[in-house]
Amino acid sequence: MNPFHADKGKNQNVRLNERYTGLANEINRRLATFPLSQIPSGLYEPIRYSLIAKGKRMRPILLILVGESLGASREKLFPAALAIELLHTFTLVHDDIMDKDTQRRGRPTLHIKWDDNTAILAGDALMTLAFRTLMQTKSPAISRMGVEFSQAMLEICEGQAMDMEFEKRSFVDAEEYLQMVGKKTGKLLGLSCVLGALIADPASESIADLADFGLKLGQAFQIQDDCLEITSDEQKMGKSLFSDIAEGKKTFPVIQVLADLSVEKRDSFLSFLKQNSDDRAIIRSEFEKRGALEKSLFKVRQLLNEASDLLSKMPINVQTELSDFIQTIYLRQS
Amino acid sequence: MNPFHADKGKNQNVRLNERYTGLANEINRRLATFPLSQIPSGLYEPIRYSLIAKGKRMRPILLILVGESLGASREKLFPAALAIELLHTFTLVHDDIMDKDTQRRGRPTLHIKWDDNTAILAGDALMTLAFRTLMQTKSPAISRMGVEFSQAMLEICEGQAMDMEFEKRSFVDAEEYLQMVGKKTGKLLGLSCVLGALIADPASESIADLADFGLKLGQAFQIQDDCLEITSDEQKMGKSLFSDIAEGKKTFPVIQVLADLSVEKRDSFLSFLKQNSDDRAIIRSEFEKRGALEKSLFKVRQLLNEASDLLSKMPINVQTELSDFIQTIYLRQS
């Protein structure tokens, strides 16, 4: 299977987009009405703030697409779908503290609107709510789901630790980068697919391939996001522009440039980026001149092709859903 | 049942202390050899540091005492026992960041030895490891255990939020204090008993009473700890002396004094405490003069009596274990 070969036409894309938007709206509705106590308000107000943020809700959508295409009812899938989004929200809240990001999804980050302590605690509670919600799933595979869920969370922590460690280094190779974003982003997309399948069919033979599929998708998505940080405008991204580059993050385009430089020149390139992190045009032209964006987008396509290849062994319904998902959600962003 | 009526004699206490120490040693051994990856070292070194800290391991001991007295094997209980201690360790790591505590269990706190980001992330991973370990329990009640576990975690977050809110107020009444420490400390002791019972017998009729028993025990323990902060020396406590008082925490003895003061005099008493928080003698004599320690220890005894009363409806083995536990662990500290 190749997600690029089939041009399903404009109508088909419109129809799929409407379907995903409908799903996202349903998830948003359930997040906005998620049952939470009123007090202590110092805990629950920030949590509510984080839950009504705009988001693409890709992870719960993915879980529902996989679960439904394997025969589970939407109602049965919703606790795990919400749990995935709660978990994702927790990681954003804590990552924003650690990365000192000030904007997220077009609004001040939680630790900016309140303070670090409030954000630490709200994140902890979100993680807890994620578990509690997951545990409400009626499934004979509930223990395995709990283990997969916490294993994914642990790898997200590992990915964040690697990311912070990489900031202090002057060189990171593409392999290390892929491992880091695989843990930080890919693992959760894989978990979304895996949970959908486990709820539908605990004996599904596609579990391992679905985990790998999510991994590749996450790696592709993160590289695409790294490129968008350079090429897109701030409003569209909804987060501080070049904040990653200013922080010394080794994004994929940065790594592409570093790999072509001698050891001595790497530090001066990283200094150049930090010094010019408020000048969009300079940064962008520097990356374009060095072909770093082109190489990065080539890697995105390669990873998406690998993800697509993994689909071929899966039941046909899952193949169709997931290749539509890649085509509609991923390609429209690039 | 009354934990104070039965003077079981010195030999009995020595025997029980040896038994608890043996259990604590076994828990310590399993924590010290807890399977963890080596990399990323920025994540796992601080986690290992937190796991080898000295601790009384009261929570896993309580879980094992209840579970064994209801017929579960120790091997079956160990995953949940470790999960409880991992969860407790997570709360200490994050609370120490929020409370800016510099010493814990006789060593620098994690955010002091490393930094805030490292401590946030290590705490997150500890919470995740707690859940993953819990999920390894073989039990038909595993979903309920997961819900009870995350509900307790959520209430711990609520308790911490209340604690931080109280710091900013000039008055807190005893009822509010008991609710806060019930969530922050009592809930987890209750969870320890509840999980032990659920693993031994998912249909146990003692679950609700065990949760209440733990709640009272936790409240008693926290008030006792508040008193020890005033009367004990730093080395014995293993944490910064008067740090709670310096931070403006409304500990139980503080509340006893505040309740006797007019509204106008409360702020000046709190200022007095902050200004003199490095002078042990002055602080201690102030509390003694006002009878605050005496009133606090009276409340401890009252709560322990209430906890004991709850035991009367439980199976005799549980009654014996838990009243021994109160007598041996609690009374030796006061």
Side-chain angles (χ1 to χ4, degrees), chain A residues 29-260:
Chain A
R29 206 160 39 239
R30 294 193 187 225
L31 287 171
T33 58
F34 191 85
L36 290 173
S37 164
Q38 292 296 320
I39 48 167
S41 58
L43 178 65
Y44 287 112
E45 256 181 53
I47 289 178
R48 261 186 289 270
Y49 176 82
S50 72
L51 293 183
I52 57 168
K54 294 241 165 28
K56 292 187 286 289
R57 314 304 183 197
M58 274 195 312
R59 293 155 191 83
I61 288 175
L62 209 45
L63 186 149
I64 290 171
L65 294 178
V66 172
E68 285 191 337
S69 64
L70 287 170
S73 72
R74 191 167 296 183
E75 273 317 304
K76 200 175 170 191
L77 295 164
F78 255 114
L82 289 177
I84 282 277
E85 192 65 20
L86 289 165
L87 174 58
H88 178 56
T89 307
F90 141 71
T91 65
L92 299 182
V93 170
H94 277 194
D95 282 5
D96 284 341
I97 307 172
M98 294 184 246
D99 295 343
K100 301 194 192 340
D101 277 327
T102 58
Q103 290 276 312
R104 164 75 67 185
R105 292 171 168 173
R107 305 178 312 161
T109 49
L110 212 143
H111 68 106
I112 292 292
K113 193 168 163 72
W114 283 272
D115 52 46
D116 279 10
N117 280 0
T118 303
I120 291 172
L121 201 57
D124 291 346
L126 279 163
M127 198 206 242
T128 296
L129 290 167
F131 275 137
R132 198 183 67 180
T133 307
L134 179 77
M135 284 295 113
Q136 281 150 10
T137 310
K138 301 271 173 272
S139 166
I142 192 73
S143 293
R144 172 147 185 217
M145 287 171 60
V147 170
E148 297 279 356
F149 198 83
S150 37
Q151 184 58 34
M153 267 170 64
L154 188 63
E155 290 196 30
I156 293 169
C157 294
E158 289 179 355
Q160 173 69 3
M162 291 169 77
D163 199 11
M164 294 197 296
E165 192 217 309
F166 290 175
E167 280 175 33
K168 297 177 198 144
R169 286 163 49 179
S170 50
F171 185 65
V172 169
D173 70 28
E175 207 43 60
E176 291 175 304
Y177 170 95
L178 288 171
Q179 203 198 353
M180 182 272 284
V181 299
K183 286 175 184 289
K184 206 174 155 174
T185 307
K187 189 73 192 180
L188 192 52
L189 292 171
L191 176 71
S192 306
C193 299
V194 165
L195 290 182
L198 279 175
I199 295 168
D201 172 15
S204 165
E205 285 173 7
S206 305
I207 304 285
D209 283 337
L210 282 167
D212 278 351
F213 170 83
L215 194 78
K216 305 270 185 202
L217 207 62
Q219 289 167 328
F221 177 68
Q222 191 54 56
I223 297 173
Q224 203 176 40
D225 208 49
D226 289 351
C227 293
L228 282 173
E229 199 196 16
I230 295 164
T231 59
S232 183
D233 57 56
E234 186 149 350
Q235 210 183 355
K236 203 168 158 193
M237 285 293 280
K239 65 174 195 175
S240 358
L241 200 64
F242 296 149
S243 63
D244 286 351
I245 284 174
E247 282 269 310
K249 285 235 189 265
K250 305 296 172 296
T251 71
F252 200 79
V254 171
I255 284 173
Q256 296 308 305
V257 176
L258 292 177
D260 285 343

Side-chain angles (χ1 to χ4, degrees), chain B residues 169 171-178 255:
Chain B
R169 285 163 50 179
F171 186 64
V172 170
D173 69 28
E175 208 42 60
E176 291 175 305
Y177 170 94
L178 288 171
I255 284 174

